[in-house]
Amino acid sequence: MPAQALIVCEHCDTVHRRVELAPGAAARCHTCGGPLYHRSRLELNAMLALTIAGIIVFAVANAYPLVTLSSQGIRNEAALWQMVASAWNSHIALVAAIAALTVFFFPLLQLALYAYILLPLSLHRVPRGFAAAMHLLRQLRPWSMVEVFLIGVLVTIIKIGSLADVVLQPGIWSFGVLTALLTALAGFDTRELWQAADEAQR
Amino acid sequence: MTAELRAAALHLVSCDACSLVVNESTAAEHPGHCPRCHEVLHRRKPDSLRRSWAYLIAAAILYIPANLLPALHTTRLFGRSDDTILSGVVELWQDGSWDLAIIVFTASIVVPLLKIGVLAMLLITTQRGSTWRQRERTRLYRIIEFIGQWSMLDVFAVALLVTLVHFGAFARIEPGGGIIAFGAVVLLTMLATKSFDPRLIWDAPAARPPPRTDQHHD
Ligand SMILES: [Zn+2]
Ligand SMILES: [Zn+2]
């Protein structure tokens, strides 16, 4: 039996035989109830489109401020990089590092890796260093926190909205769109890309 | 226990990186490495319980300053106030924003405590080789793995407040040491969760001697 015909549950180590699933269906482990795999008709072009849209929206999200706050005739604005800088200047370097890495560098690297992997694969070619790129992509996943950032910013805006004059800027809408795009991308099982690479090499 | 086949018993290893199932006895040119993606093959996450305990204990210790030290110092014309993470939630509630209070309370208080408690329970039961409610314990693990990063919410909130609220003498918000400890707690609990291997929950029955009743059937 070829090894690809089997799948092992990552939560309890039970061996399962892969079966063909109906579209939209998902296989669950019947020992522990955890998710095993789902029918991903690996739509490379859809993933690629999401990635390219993500890169554009990422740029817009960082080019504009998120929100402005006016009080006593003074108007302050906040963009992501301004938040990183003021956290750094307020001696909370850990907070500055968390914001810079989990909201800027990791998501950007994630999008860049997706583009690097998906572009050649959609042309049935395997990019150089495919394995290394795939490993990095997998490790980045839990450390990209754009959606948490978005909710944190929204909660804060509502909180201070009663105290001062808050105006939403294009940055916040872009982060909303970016969250949706990254969530859609995360819905694809990247492990299936290994299968696609195997087929491209043949 | 059901008669399910487990990979370890069949000398099969599933690659963590690409999920290829590899037969240990026929491992090809590079023993111990995945033939497809060249990642090192592990039957279980290396040193899982010890690493997970170390991160968890560090998180539990830092949880104390994270809640006792102020996360924010607010200076207004009429004076100065210090807020811890919990007093910030209480203030939201008193202002009538009970919906926000619930979001922040869940993300900042409930989730970290739940993670520390659940992980400690999983580590203790797993170390004892317990077969108690394995399915539910595995599900709890998946839940804390999923909700882990949401506790960062308050860290981003503080970064935004510090950036926006600086109006000279009228109003100013500065961060306190509590938020640094809190950020560290969230990172450490995430690392503790990632280090724990849920497959160890299911290794328990095999490691135990068979039930004693067997002796009487001869
Ligand atoms: Zn399972
Ligand atoms: Zn592999």
PDB file of all heavy atoms in Angstrom, chain A residues 155-182:
ATOM      1  N   VAL A 155     -11.788  47.184  19.957  1.00  0.00           N
ATOM      2  CA  VAL A 155     -12.245  47.301  21.344  1.00  0.00           C
ATOM      3  C   VAL A 155     -11.774  48.621  21.952  1.00  0.00           C
ATOM      4  O   VAL A 155     -12.534  49.343  22.601  1.00  0.00           O
ATOM      5  CB  VAL A 155     -11.744  46.094  22.178  1.00  0.00           C
ATOM      6  CG1 VAL A 155     -11.928  46.344  23.663  1.00  0.00           C
ATOM      7  CG2 VAL A 155     -12.479  44.827  21.766  1.00  0.00           C
ATOM      8  N   THR A 156     -10.506  48.961  21.704  1.00  0.00           N
ATOM      9  CA  THR A 156      -9.950  50.186  22.264  1.00  0.00           C
ATOM     10  C   THR A 156     -10.638  51.423  21.697  1.00  0.00           C
ATOM     11  O   THR A 156     -10.903  52.389  22.418  1.00  0.00           O
ATOM     12  CB  THR A 156      -8.437  50.248  21.965  1.00  0.00           C
ATOM     13  OG1 THR A 156      -7.874  48.986  22.287  1.00  0.00           O
ATOM     14  CG2 THR A 156      -7.762  51.332  22.770  1.00  0.00           C
ATOM     15  N   ILE A 157     -10.926  51.393  20.393  1.00  0.00           N
ATOM     16  CA  ILE A 157     -11.583  52.538  19.761  1.00  0.00           C
ATOM     17  C   ILE A 157     -12.960  52.765  20.381  1.00  0.00           C
ATOM     18  O   ILE A 157     -13.334  53.900  20.704  1.00  0.00           O
ATOM     19  CB  ILE A 157     -11.708  52.304  18.232  1.00  0.00           C
ATOM     20  CG1 ILE A 157     -10.335  52.408  17.575  1.00  0.00           C
ATOM     21  CG2 ILE A 157     -12.663  53.316  17.617  1.00  0.00           C
ATOM     22  CD1 ILE A 157     -10.339  52.032  16.120  1.00  0.00           C
ATOM     23  N   ILE A 158     -13.701  51.683  20.590  1.00  0.00           N
ATOM     24  CA  ILE A 158     -15.035  51.835  21.181  1.00  0.00           C
ATOM     25  C   ILE A 158     -14.899  52.359  22.611  1.00  0.00           C
ATOM     26  O   ILE A 158     -15.655  53.222  23.054  1.00  0.00           O
ATOM     27  CB  ILE A 158     -15.795  50.483  21.162  1.00  0.00           C
ATOM     28  CG1 ILE A 158     -15.920  49.970  19.726  1.00  0.00           C
ATOM     29  CG2 ILE A 158     -17.172  50.627  21.780  1.00  0.00           C
ATOM     30  CD1 ILE A 158     -16.432  48.557  19.605  1.00  0.00           C
ATOM     31  N   LYS A 159     -13.879  51.858  23.311  1.00  0.00           N
ATOM     32  CA  LYS A 159     -13.662  52.255  24.694  1.00  0.00           C
ATOM     33  C   LYS A 159     -13.394  53.761  24.821  1.00  0.00           C
ATOM     34  O   LYS A 159     -13.942  54.412  25.697  1.00  0.00           O
ATOM     35  CB  LYS A 159     -12.468  51.457  25.250  1.00  0.00           C
ATOM     36  CG  LYS A 159     -12.211  51.611  26.713  1.00  0.00           C
ATOM     37  CD  LYS A 159     -11.396  50.436  27.229  1.00  0.00           C
ATOM     38  CE  LYS A 159      -9.950  50.807  27.508  1.00  0.00           C
ATOM     39  NZ  LYS A 159      -9.152  49.652  27.915  1.00  0.00           N
ATOM     40  N   ILE A 160     -12.549  54.311  23.955  1.00  0.00           N
ATOM     41  CA  ILE A 160     -12.204  55.727  24.102  1.00  0.00           C
ATOM     42  C   ILE A 160     -13.129  56.632  23.301  1.00  0.00           C
ATOM     43  O   ILE A 160     -13.058  57.843  23.414  1.00  0.00           O
ATOM     44  CB  ILE A 160     -10.727  56.012  23.722  1.00  0.00           C
ATOM     45  CG1 ILE A 160     -10.423  55.549  22.300  1.00  0.00           C
ATOM     46  CG2 ILE A 160      -9.789  55.360  24.716  1.00  0.00           C
ATOM     47  CD1 ILE A 160      -9.002  55.844  21.870  1.00  0.00           C
ATOM     48  N   GLY A 161     -14.014  56.032  22.508  1.00  0.00           N
ATOM     49  CA  GLY A 161     -14.920  56.822  21.671  1.00  0.00           C
ATOM     50  C   GLY A 161     -15.792  57.771  22.480  1.00  0.00           C
ATOM     51  O   GLY A 161     -16.171  58.841  21.992  1.00  0.00           O
ATOM     52  N   SER A 162     -16.093  57.382  23.735  1.00  0.00           N
ATOM     53  CA  SER A 162     -16.966  58.221  24.553  1.00  0.00           C
ATOM     54  C   SER A 162     -16.201  59.390  25.174  1.00  0.00           C
ATOM     55  O   SER A 162     -16.796  60.359  25.613  1.00  0.00           O
ATOM     56  CB  SER A 162     -17.596  57.368  25.648  1.00  0.00           C
ATOM     57  OG  SER A 162     -16.571  56.728  26.383  1.00  0.00           O
ATOM     58  N   LEU A 163     -14.867  59.282  25.199  1.00  0.00           N
ATOM     59  CA  LEU A 163     -14.068  60.300  25.879  1.00  0.00           C
ATOM     60  C   LEU A 163     -13.557  61.379  24.934  1.00  0.00           C
ATOM     61  O   LEU A 163     -13.354  62.511  25.322  1.00  0.00           O
ATOM     62  CB  LEU A 163     -12.860  59.653  26.575  1.00  0.00           C
ATOM     63  CG  LEU A 163     -13.154  58.439  27.454  1.00  0.00           C
ATOM     64  CD1 LEU A 163     -11.860  57.780  27.886  1.00  0.00           C
ATOM     65  CD2 LEU A 163     -13.980  58.863  28.661  1.00  0.00           C
ATOM     66  N   ALA A 164     -13.326  61.003  23.686  1.00  0.00           N
ATOM     67  CA  ALA A 164     -12.717  61.958  22.762  1.00  0.00           C
ATOM     68  C   ALA A 164     -13.248  61.685  21.363  1.00  0.00           C
ATOM     69  O   ALA A 164     -14.010  60.754  21.137  1.00  0.00           O
ATOM     70  CB  ALA A 164     -11.201  61.814  22.792  1.00  0.00           C
ATOM     71  N   ASP A 165     -12.821  62.525  20.429  1.00  0.00           N
ATOM     72  CA  ASP A 165     -13.329  62.453  19.068  1.00  0.00           C
ATOM     73  C   ASP A 165     -12.483  61.466  18.250  1.00  0.00           C
ATOM     74  O   ASP A 165     -11.339  61.763  17.902  1.00  0.00           O
ATOM     75  CB  ASP A 165     -13.260  63.860  18.457  1.00  0.00           C
ATOM     76  CG  ASP A 165     -14.095  63.946  17.202  1.00  0.00           C
ATOM     77  OD1 ASP A 165     -14.823  62.982  16.920  1.00  0.00           O
ATOM     78  OD2 ASP A 165     -13.995  64.980  16.518  1.00  0.00           O
ATOM     79  N   VAL A 166     -13.045  60.307  17.971  1.00  0.00           N
ATOM     80  CA  VAL A 166     -12.315  59.263  17.256  1.00  0.00           C
ATOM     81  C   VAL A 166     -12.780  59.219  15.803  1.00  0.00           C
ATOM     82  O   VAL A 166     -13.978  59.214  15.544  1.00  0.00           O
ATOM     83  CB  VAL A 166     -12.558  57.880  17.891  1.00  0.00           C
ATOM     84  CG1 VAL A 166     -11.850  56.793  17.107  1.00  0.00           C
ATOM     85  CG2 VAL A 166     -12.102  57.871  19.331  1.00  0.00           C
ATOM     86  N   VAL A 167     -11.829  59.214  14.854  1.00  0.00           N
ATOM     87  CA  VAL A 167     -12.193  59.081  13.435  1.00  0.00           C
ATOM     88  C   VAL A 167     -11.453  57.878  12.861  1.00  0.00           C
ATOM     89  O   VAL A 167     -10.223  57.787  12.968  1.00  0.00           O
ATOM     90  CB  VAL A 167     -11.849  60.349  12.633  1.00  0.00           C
ATOM     91  CG1 VAL A 167     -12.249  60.173  11.176  1.00  0.00           C
ATOM     92  CG2 VAL A 167     -12.538  61.562  13.239  1.00  0.00           C
ATOM     93  N   LEU A 168     -12.188  56.956  12.273  1.00  0.00           N
ATOM     94  CA  LEU A 168     -11.563  55.782  11.651  1.00  0.00           C
ATOM     95  C   LEU A 168     -10.878  56.185  10.348  1.00  0.00           C
ATOM     96  O   LEU A 168     -11.400  56.994   9.587  1.00  0.00           O
ATOM     97  CB  LEU A 168     -12.610  54.702  11.371  1.00  0.00           C
ATOM     98  CG  LEU A 168     -13.362  54.168  12.585  1.00  0.00           C
ATOM     99  CD1 LEU A 168     -14.330  53.075  12.160  1.00  0.00           C
ATOM    100  CD2 LEU A 168     -12.389  53.628  13.623  1.00  0.00           C
ATOM    101  N   GLN A 169      -9.715  55.629  10.095  1.00  0.00           N
ATOM    102  CA  GLN A 169      -8.944  55.937   8.893  1.00  0.00           C
ATOM    103  C   GLN A 169      -8.852  54.687   8.003  1.00  0.00           C
ATOM    104  O   GLN A 169      -9.167  53.585   8.443  1.00  0.00           O
ATOM    105  CB  GLN A 169      -7.548  56.426   9.297  1.00  0.00           C
ATOM    106  CG  GLN A 169      -7.564  57.691  10.154  1.00  0.00           C
ATOM    107  CD  GLN A 169      -8.117  58.890   9.428  1.00  0.00           C
ATOM    108  OE1 GLN A 169      -7.920  59.053   8.229  1.00  0.00           O
ATOM    109  NE2 GLN A 169      -8.854  59.741  10.146  1.00  0.00           N
ATOM    110  N   PRO A 170      -8.388  54.855   6.746  1.00  0.00           N
ATOM    111  CA  PRO A 170      -8.369  53.703   5.824  1.00  0.00           C
ATOM    112  C   PRO A 170      -7.601  52.489   6.358  1.00  0.00           C
ATOM    113  O   PRO A 170      -7.914  51.355   6.002  1.00  0.00           O
ATOM    114  CB  PRO A 170      -7.674  54.261   4.577  1.00  0.00           C
ATOM    115  CG  PRO A 170      -7.915  55.718   4.637  1.00  0.00           C
ATOM    116  CD  PRO A 170      -7.975  56.096   6.078  1.00  0.00           C
ATOM    117  N   GLY A 171      -6.609  52.727   7.212  1.00  0.00           N
ATOM    118  CA  GLY A 171      -5.806  51.622   7.730  1.00  0.00           C
ATOM    119  C   GLY A 171      -6.651  50.549   8.411  1.00  0.00           C
ATOM    120  O   GLY A 171      -6.413  49.351   8.236  1.00  0.00           O
ATOM    121  N   ILE A 172      -7.651  50.972   9.171  1.00  0.00           N
ATOM    122  CA  ILE A 172      -8.442  49.999   9.943  1.00  0.00           C
ATOM    123  C   ILE A 172      -9.291  49.130   9.018  1.00  0.00           C
ATOM    124  O   ILE A 172      -9.412  47.921   9.205  1.00  0.00           O
ATOM    125  CB  ILE A 172      -9.302  50.701  11.021  1.00  0.00           C
ATOM    126  CG1 ILE A 172      -9.871  49.681  12.001  1.00  0.00           C
ATOM    127  CG2 ILE A 172     -10.454  51.500  10.437  1.00  0.00           C
ATOM    128  CD1 ILE A 172      -8.930  49.264  13.055  1.00  0.00           C
ATOM    129  N   TRP A 173      -9.856  49.753   7.957  1.00  0.00           N
ATOM    130  CA  TRP A 173     -10.644  48.971   6.997  1.00  0.00           C
ATOM    131  C   TRP A 173      -9.746  47.970   6.276  1.00  0.00           C
ATOM    132  O   TRP A 173     -10.127  46.822   6.045  1.00  0.00           O
ATOM    133  CB  TRP A 173     -11.331  49.876   5.972  1.00  0.00           C
ATOM    134  CG  TRP A 173     -12.139  50.963   6.600  1.00  0.00           C
ATOM    135  CD1 TRP A 173     -11.910  52.315   6.539  1.00  0.00           C
ATOM    136  CD2 TRP A 173     -13.313  50.803   7.422  1.00  0.00           C
ATOM    137  NE1 TRP A 173     -12.859  52.993   7.260  1.00  0.00           N
ATOM    138  CE2 TRP A 173     -13.737  52.093   7.818  1.00  0.00           C
ATOM    139  CE3 TRP A 173     -14.038  49.697   7.873  1.00  0.00           C
ATOM    140  CZ2 TRP A 173     -14.849  52.316   8.623  1.00  0.00           C
ATOM    141  CZ3 TRP A 173     -15.151  49.907   8.670  1.00  0.00           C
ATOM    142  CH2 TRP A 173     -15.544  51.199   9.045  1.00  0.00           C
ATOM    143  N   SER A 174      -8.537  48.426   5.917  1.00  0.00           N
ATOM    144  CA  SER A 174      -7.611  47.533   5.221  1.00  0.00           C
ATOM    145  C   SER A 174      -7.224  46.347   6.094  1.00  0.00           C
ATOM    146  O   SER A 174      -7.100  45.224   5.605  1.00  0.00           O
ATOM    147  CB  SER A 174      -6.347  48.282   4.802  1.00  0.00           C
ATOM    148  OG  SER A 174      -6.699  49.480   4.172  1.00  0.00           O
ATOM    149  N   PHE A 175      -7.041  46.604   7.401  1.00  0.00           N
ATOM    150  CA  PHE A 175      -6.715  45.493   8.295  1.00  0.00           C
ATOM    151  C   PHE A 175      -7.884  44.513   8.381  1.00  0.00           C
ATOM    152  O   PHE A 175      -7.682  43.306   8.518  1.00  0.00           O
ATOM    153  CB  PHE A 175      -6.318  45.989   9.691  1.00  0.00           C
ATOM    154  CG  PHE A 175      -4.822  46.118   9.846  1.00  0.00           C
ATOM    155  CD1 PHE A 175      -4.210  47.363   9.852  1.00  0.00           C
ATOM    156  CD2 PHE A 175      -4.021  44.993   9.964  1.00  0.00           C
ATOM    157  CE1 PHE A 175      -2.834  47.485   9.975  1.00  0.00           C
ATOM    158  CE2 PHE A 175      -2.646  45.091  10.084  1.00  0.00           C
ATOM    159  CZ  PHE A 175      -2.051  46.350  10.095  1.00  0.00           C
ATOM    160  N   GLY A 176      -9.099  45.053   8.288  1.00  0.00           N
ATOM    161  CA  GLY A 176     -10.271  44.176   8.267  1.00  0.00           C
ATOM    162  C   GLY A 176     -10.261  43.260   7.059  1.00  0.00           C
ATOM    163  O   GLY A 176     -10.471  42.044   7.160  1.00  0.00           O
ATOM    164  N   VAL A 177      -9.980  43.848   5.880  1.00  0.00           N
ATOM    165  CA  VAL A 177      -9.933  43.052   4.646  1.00  0.00           C
ATOM    166  C   VAL A 177      -8.780  42.047   4.711  1.00  0.00           C
ATOM    167  O   VAL A 177      -8.928  40.881   4.336  1.00  0.00           O
ATOM    168  CB  VAL A 177      -9.789  43.975   3.410  1.00  0.00           C
ATOM    169  CG1 VAL A 177      -9.662  43.152   2.137  1.00  0.00           C
ATOM    170  CG2 VAL A 177     -10.973  44.917   3.321  1.00  0.00           C
ATOM    171  N   LEU A 178      -7.625  42.504   5.225  1.00  0.00           N
ATOM    172  CA  LEU A 178      -6.460  41.620   5.339  1.00  0.00           C
ATOM    173  C   LEU A 178      -6.779  40.416   6.224  1.00  0.00           C
ATOM    174  O   LEU A 178      -6.408  39.279   5.911  1.00  0.00           O
ATOM    175  CB  LEU A 178      -5.275  42.413   5.918  1.00  0.00           C
ATOM    176  CG  LEU A 178      -3.948  41.664   6.011  1.00  0.00           C
ATOM    177  CD1 LEU A 178      -3.462  41.240   4.635  1.00  0.00           C
ATOM    178  CD2 LEU A 178      -2.883  42.516   6.708  1.00  0.00           C
ATOM    179  N   THR A 179      -7.493  40.665   7.329  1.00  0.00           N
ATOM    180  CA  THR A 179      -7.892  39.569   8.221  1.00  0.00           C
ATOM    181  C   THR A 179      -8.736  38.545   7.468  1.00  0.00           C
ATOM    182  O   THR A 179      -8.510  37.338   7.576  1.00  0.00           O
ATOM    183  CB  THR A 179      -8.691  40.118   9.422  1.00  0.00           C
ATOM    184  OG1 THR A 179      -7.869  41.042  10.123  1.00  0.00           O
ATOM    185  CG2 THR A 179      -9.114  38.996  10.362  1.00  0.00           C
ATOM    186  N   ALA A 180      -9.691  39.039   6.671  1.00  0.00           N
ATOM    187  CA  ALA A 180     -10.558  38.130   5.910  1.00  0.00           C
ATOM    188  C   ALA A 180      -9.730  37.315   4.916  1.00  0.00           C
ATOM    189  O   ALA A 180      -9.913  36.100   4.783  1.00  0.00           O
ATOM    190  CB  ALA A 180     -11.640  38.930   5.186  1.00  0.00           C
ATOM    191  N   LEU A 181      -8.784  37.972   4.214  1.00  0.00           N
ATOM    192  CA  LEU A 181      -7.974  37.271   3.211  1.00  0.00           C
ATOM    193  C   LEU A 181      -7.087  36.210   3.860  1.00  0.00           C
ATOM    194  O   LEU A 181      -6.973  35.082   3.369  1.00  0.00           O
ATOM    195  CB  LEU A 181      -7.110  38.271   2.441  1.00  0.00           C
ATOM    196  CG  LEU A 181      -7.860  39.234   1.511  1.00  0.00           C
ATOM    197  CD1 LEU A 181      -6.930  40.332   1.000  1.00  0.00           C
ATOM    198  CD2 LEU A 181      -8.456  38.470   0.332  1.00  0.00           C
ATOM    199  N   LEU A 182      -6.441  36.576   4.991  1.00  0.00           N
ATOM    200  CA  LEU A 182      -5.550  35.622   5.655  1.00  0.00           C
ATOM    201  C   LEU A 182      -6.337  34.446   6.229  1.00  0.00           C
ATOM    202  O   LEU A 182      -5.869  33.311   6.219  1.00  0.00           O
ATOM    203  CB  LEU A 182      -4.754  36.316   6.769  1.00  0.00           C
ATOM    204  CG  LEU A 182      -3.651  37.269   6.298  1.00  0.00           C
ATOM    205  CD1 LEU A 182      -3.016  37.987   7.486  1.00  0.00           C
ATOM    206  CD2 LEU A 182      -2.574  36.522   5.516  1.00  0.00           C
TER     207      LEU A 182
END
